[in-house]
Amino acid sequence: MSRSVHKSKRLGLYEKKYAYFYILPGVVVLALITLAPFIYDVILSFTNKSLVSAKAPVFIGLANYKDVVTSKYFWIALLKTLQYAFFAVLIEMILGFILALLFQVEFRGKIIIRSLLLLPMVATPIAISLLWKIMYNADSGVINYLLGFFHIPGIAWLAVEKTAMFSVVLVDVWQWTPFVFIILSAGLYSLPEEPFEAAVVDGASLWQMLRYILFPLLKPILTIALLFRMVDSFKAFDLIYVLTGGGPGVSTETLNIHIFLNGFKYLKMGYAAALSIFLIFFTLLISNFIVKKGGLGL
Amino acid sequence: MKRTLVVISCLLLVVTIVTPSMGLDWKQAEGTKLRIMFVQHWFTDALKPLLPDFEEMTGIKVQLEVLTESEYWNKMIVEFNSGANPPDAFMLNYVTVAQYEAGGWVEPLGDYISNPDLTDIEGYDFNDFFPAAIDFGTFKEKLYGLPITGEWQILFYRKDLYEEKGLAVPKTMDELYKNAVAIHSDKVAGIANRAHRTSAAWWPWAGFARTYGGYWVSPEGKVGLTDPNVVEATEMYVKLLRDAGPKGILNYTWYEASQDFQQGRAAHFIDSSGFLGGFEDPENSAVAGKVGYALMPAAKEGSSPVPNVNHWMLGMGAQSKKKEAAYLFLQWATSKENTITIARNVGSGARASVFEDAELLSKYPAQAIEVSLASAAIADKLALPQIVELGEIGQYLAIAINEVFADEANTMKFLEEAQAQTEKALSE
């Protein structure tokens, strides 16, 4: 052990009772930037604060919460959030996993292709959203242009209710599959080789190896990737806002967009705060479920 | 000695009487720095090159921030609520006058305008403004916004395509519909109008509602979305888009719709007369010289349309610590000279002298000027309710328009939904 460690031990600085002092600065900062706004949010949700009223907000108890639960648009937004999260995450997990498996094999140009695959994840989300919006343009976008070569008539991707959600999910998948790919790659890399070698010797098929060895061993990593992506997709905002603004109609108005519109367009901050509490509660519910089922031992 | 004294005092007296009054001291706020926020708009484009003149004349430094319209409204709300250094002067529209007044963020201008130390009363010529334009910026009997645009809802059409197809200028909405459908093709859409749910689609729509004899929200506060006249107006507004609109029409804000017309990709556009400047600009417009102008079509044979009206305005912050400097800026930006200079680029303005300016009249087609003024005479500002909740009820309306577009059979259901939501928003 180094001399400074010896000295600290002699001075008793490793004592358990000092532990709280050591973590205090970090905890204070964390509390300020996460707890304080959260507490303000909860307080706001019990008031009728409007962004254009000069009057001080009035405490109105659970009225906002009642309005949320009886609002048709809230339930629609919840449904849209579930749709978005479910489809985006499902496709990302599958594609990410396939890519991670493929990259276990050596092939020429692997490093270049890997770098290209990672680009969507590191590019600025707003830039991505704007570029995809241009690509999706019904008259002059590159996607319809390419479809034209196959004699498929151009589709108004973002302007038609049926295709709007799909179009937005597609961009999310394009952007975040690399994230799943990286996490699962790291997971695969860390797996021991012996069980697989033994399985090959025993004559197991690819599917049996995947099902009985790979997935159980990879479960914690899969859970982490799933958790991150799930929670992130509930929070998705910039993509949807730029591409469709929540439209057409309310077909892409997820809960996050709904909260933003209520707070900053309809100026009903108290109501928006109540909506956000619902989103937090809902996110906690789902993430707890994932953590428990994923057996992360947390 | 006594005589010299008398002569000198007489001379002094004469000098003080005869010396012209200095008038407005433009340099009285020299050295101040102003924070100004504008919307990305033709007015902003026209005013920017003139700013150095203002800075030279007054010694006031201007920091101008420009944002696209929906971002601008979002940002303004945040600025006023967080209050750290809110803008000293900014653009206002009809509804934000009401909203900002409710928030106590906007300064009444009456006292500044009548104060000879701050206003060059003769040169500014307040009475030159159209009374309707001044009324537009007045809320609860106080003037909050000085008008910078004069915009009336008119019909733009492609007269070259009309000639080609042998079409006549439509007098009714049904005739317009037939013309739009006749021209509609893959290359040129029949018509382009605002439809995006966060765009101000309610502006042109409200003109339709009034033309068919209904109100979005009547002056007495009654919501009219399920009123048969309004339902008919909505059906026509959507029908035009569905049967003669470009493919991605539900994503169109006024930026996209006016762009499409300007680039020759749409044959009709029912929107603000303020766009005519851009359409007639040979450098940027593909249709300069091919644009026809007409009054908005009427609901039926023999009746008269009721176009909507808009005046963008400039206002100043009640929280500003530089009110005199901000007012000087407002006065300069809305002065007779600048209004006419800018109007020459645009084809319209909020002062009567604009429409008497020889240069402007020679630059733009007589038909355009004629139609703008004719529309101004019959326009109705009550097409829009001047209420704080307009942003919210505007969303419900835009959602309904989007939904009617996708599912025509359930038009009544969507409008009833919007009606219920709107009534709820207004009752709170």
Side-chain angles (χ1 to χ4, degrees):
Chain A
M1 278 188 287
S2 72
R3 293 186 59 176
S4 56
V5 173
H6 274 289
K7 186 168 179 188
S8 302
K9 277 203 153 169
R10 243 189 318 121
L11 288 172
L13 287 174
Y14 274 70
E15 298 289 306
K16 220 173 185 169
K17 60 185 172 182
Y18 294 120
Y20 292 110
F21 285 115
Y22 299 142
I23 62 173
L24 194 64
V27 169
V28 166
V29 171
L30 212 60
L32 277 176
I33 57 180
T34 52
L35 267 188
F38 177 68
I39 292 175
Y40 182 61
D41 193 30
V42 175
I43 295 175
L44 254 191
S45 69
F46 294 122
T47 70
N48 65 353
K49 176 154 176 73
S50 155
L51 281 183
V52 282
S53 178
K55 295 184 288 222
V58 163
F59 180 76
I60 54 171
L62 292 174
N64 281 333
Y65 289 89
K66 203 172 85 179
D67 284 338
V68 170
V69 175
T70 53
S71 153
K72 163 178 142 158
Y73 289 117
F74 165 68
W75 293 106
I76 294 179
L78 198 59
L79 177 68
K80 294 297 168 186
T81 310
L82 282 171
Q83 268 181 352
Y84 182 88
F86 177 74
F87 285 111
V89 175
L90 182 71
I91 302 175
E92 279 159 19
M93 294 294 289
I94 295 176
L95 281 181
F97 180 70
I98 294 175
L99 280 173
L101 268 188
L102 287 174
F103 268 69
Q104 294 299 303
V105 176
E106 277 304 320
F107 56 87
R108 287 184 68 179
K110 182 172 170 179
I111 298 185
I112 297 176
I113 297 190
R114 190 179 59 205
S115 313
L116 285 177
L117 277 179
L118 291 183
L119 275 180
M121 194 177 75
V122 301
T124 317
I126 283 287
I128 293 176
S129 315
L130 287 169
L131 281 170
W132 273 93
K133 184 169 183 182
I134 295 175
M135 289 204 288
Y136 273 133
N137 186 296
D139 296 308
S140 50
V142 89
I143 295 179
N144 280 349
Y145 176 71
L146 291 174
L147 284 181
F149 285 136
F150 298 98
H151 299 292
I152 302 176
I155 303 175
W157 300 95
L158 299 173
V160 170
E161 286 192 16
K162 284 194 184 60
T163 53
M165 179 55 96
F166 164 74
S167 310
V168 175
V169 166
L170 189 67
V171 183
D172 192 282
V173 164
W174 180 86
Q175 193 181 359
W176 294 110
T177 302
F179 177 77
V180 176
F181 161 57
I182 288 189
I183 294 196
L184 295 186
S185 279
L188 284 176
Y189 187 72
S190 70
L191 291 181
E193 292 204 6
E194 290 79 20
F196 293 99
E197 285 166 4
V200 167
V201 164
D202 284 346
S205 72
L206 177 66
W207 175 245
Q208 281 169 325
M209 274 203 281
L210 283 180
R211 183 163 169 214
Y212 295 110
I213 307 178
L214 188 75
F215 281 129
L217 283 177
L218 205 56
K219 195 167 165 196
I221 308 287
L222 279 169
T223 308
I224 289 183
L226 183 67
L227 185 67
F228 270 104
R229 281 315 312 145
M230 203 45 119
V231 172
D232 245 9
S233 60
F234 292 151
K235 298 193 293 184
F237 179 82
D238 38 27
L239 213 62
I240 305 175
Y241 187 69
V242 170
L243 287 174
T244 60
V250 285
S251 54
T252 57
E253 188 173 320
T254 59
L255 195 48
N256 212 2
I257 301 270
H258 188 61
I259 293 171
F260 172 80
L261 288 174
N262 269 287
F264 290 97
K265 284 261 187 267
Y266 312 168
L267 313 169
K268 302 188 315 193
M269 262 312 179
Y271 182 74
L275 280 171
S276 69
I277 301 293
F278 272 90
L279 181 60
I280 292 174
F281 171 72
F282 172 68
T283 308
L284 278 175
L285 205 70
I286 303 255
S287 43
N288 265 331
F289 178 76
I290 294 177
V291 166
K292 218 162 65 166
K293 284 289 175 190
L296 284 180
L298 286 173
Chain B
M1 181 65 177
K2 203 169 157 190
R3 234 182 81 171
T4 339
L5 226 69
V6 172
V7 168
I8 290 175
S9 22
C10 281
L11 273 169
L12 275 172
L13 206 61
V14 167
V15 163
T16 44
I17 290 172
V18 165
T19 307
S21 68
M22 287 317 287
L24 173 61
D25 176 16
W26 282 98
K27 287 224 184 253
Q28 62 185 276
E30 191 169 4
T32 325
K33 214 163 141 213
L34 283 179
R35 184 171 175 229
I36 316 244
M37 283 180 61
F38 276 4
V39 177
Q40 179 60 49
H41 192 270
W42 73 78
F43 175 80
T44 310
D45 291 336
L47 193 74
K48 267 202 276 205
L50 303 173
L51 280 176
D53 295 337
F54 175 74
E55 291 183 339
E56 207 189 296
M57 179 171 81
T58 60
I60 298 174
K61 279 242 89 192
V62 169
Q63 179 198 336
L64 179 65
E65 292 163 41
V66 179
L67 292 165
T68 55
E69 192 172 346
S70 41
E71 297 325 304
Y72 176 82
W73 299 128
N74 292 344
K75 184 119 199 272
M76 292 299 278
I77 294 282
V78 172
E79 290 283 342
F80 287 131
N81 272 286
S82 68
N85 178 25
D88 302 297
F90 38 82
M91 277 168 77
L92 284 170
N93 73 3
Y94 187 53
V95 165
T96 50
V97 166
Q99 280 182 352
Y100 297 177
E101 189 269 345
W105 302 325
V106 71
E107 178 85 356
L109 300 170
D111 290 335
Y112 295 82
I113 297 174
S114 53
N115 179 350
D117 288 330
L118 285 173
T119 306
D120 174 12
I121 304 216
E122 212 184 291
Y124 189 60
D125 196 2
F126 184 75
N127 294 322
D128 185 29
F129 284 114
F130 288 122
I134 294 295
D135 181 46
F136 202 77
T138 307
F139 185 69
K140 293 190 183 160
E141 326 247 313
K142 293 212 179 106
L143 176 66
Y144 290 100
L146 290 167
I148 51 177
T149 69
E151 307 172 60
W152 304 278
Q153 189 174 13
I154 61 175
L155 169 67
F156 297 93
Y157 64 92
R158 291 279 300 281
K159 57 184 187 193
D160 56 327
L161 295 176
Y162 266 46
E163 245 175 71
E164 217 180 277
K165 306 234 176 213
L167 299 171
V169 178
K171 290 269 179 301
T172 68
M173 288 291 185
D174 285 324
E175 283 170 21
L176 170 68
Y177 177 76
K178 286 200 190 76
N179 287 358
V181 169
I183 298 180
H184 183 60
S185 71
D186 272 343
K187 293 222 167 28
V188 178
I191 187 168
N193 269 334
R194 310 185 197 187
H196 192 264
R197 68 160 284 194
T198 60
S199 73
W202 34 261
W203 195 80
W205 174 89
F208 274 63
R210 288 299 296 119
T211 297
Y212 276 79
Y215 278 101
W216 182 6
V217 177
S218 79
E220 296 82 38
K222 184 166 169 306
V223 179
L225 288 170
T226 46
D227 172 13
N229 288 337
V230 175
V231 175
E232 211 186 322
T234 311
E235 282 175 340
M236 176 52 81
Y237 190 84
V238 174
K239 204 164 76 154
L240 283 166
L241 297 176
R242 192 191 304 118
D243 300 336
K247 261 196 237 84
I249 186 69
L250 285 187
N251 269 350
Y252 276 46
T253 64
W254 60 259
Y255 290 112
E256 282 90 4
S258 61
Q259 276 290 302
D260 262 20
F261 188 85
Q262 192 187 47
Q263 300 308 316
R265 288 200 298 263
H268 292 93
F269 182 44
I270 301 183
D271 214 292
S272 151
S273 60
F275 287 113
L276 74 89
F279 294 162
E280 293 290 349
D281 174 9
E283 273 175 45
N284 288 321
S285 169
V287 299
K290 303 187 200 157
V291 183
Y293 302 86
L295 275 182
M296 198 175 140
K300 46 182 142 299
E301 197 72 47
S303 68
S304 174
V306 183
N308 203 348
V309 55
N310 184 44
H311 296 280
W312 279 94
M313 297 164 281
L314 290 187
M316 56 190 228
Q319 299 152 305
S320 170
K321 299 189 177 57
K322 307 161 191 170
K323 295 205 175 94
E324 286 79 29
Y327 177 70
L328 287 176
F329 177 79
L330 255 56
Q331 192 190 163
W332 170 82
T334 56
S335 70
K336 196 182 272 195
E337 298 73 37
N338 279 337
T339 302
I340 294 182
T341 307
I342 292 173
R344 288 187 185 139
N345 283 334
V346 171
S348 74
R351 284 173 173 269
S353 51
V354 161
F355 293 95
E356 289 153 16
D357 178 53
E359 196 184 314
L360 182 135
L361 292 174
S362 64
K363 188 171 170 194
Y364 293 99
Q367 192 191 37
I369 306 289
E370 213 178 282
V371 167
S372 299
L373 289 173
S375 190
I378 53 176
D380 184 7
K381 81 167 191 180
L382 294 174
L384 297 180
Q386 193 175 23
I387 52 176
V388 168
E389 298 89 351
L390 191 91
E392 181 174 0
I393 66 175
Q395 291 273 318
Y396 299 137
L397 173 70
I399 291 174
I401 292 177
N402 280 196
E403 291 182 331
V404 169
F405 182 96
D407 181 6
E408 178 180 8
N410 282 311
T411 300
M412 209 52 211
K413 185 175 109 182
F414 299 128
L415 284 174
E416 276 163 6
E417 178 68 49
Q419 170 94 2
Q421 294 287 338
T422 306
E423 282 171 345
K424 184 155 163 271
L426 294 184
S427 68
E428 280 165 1

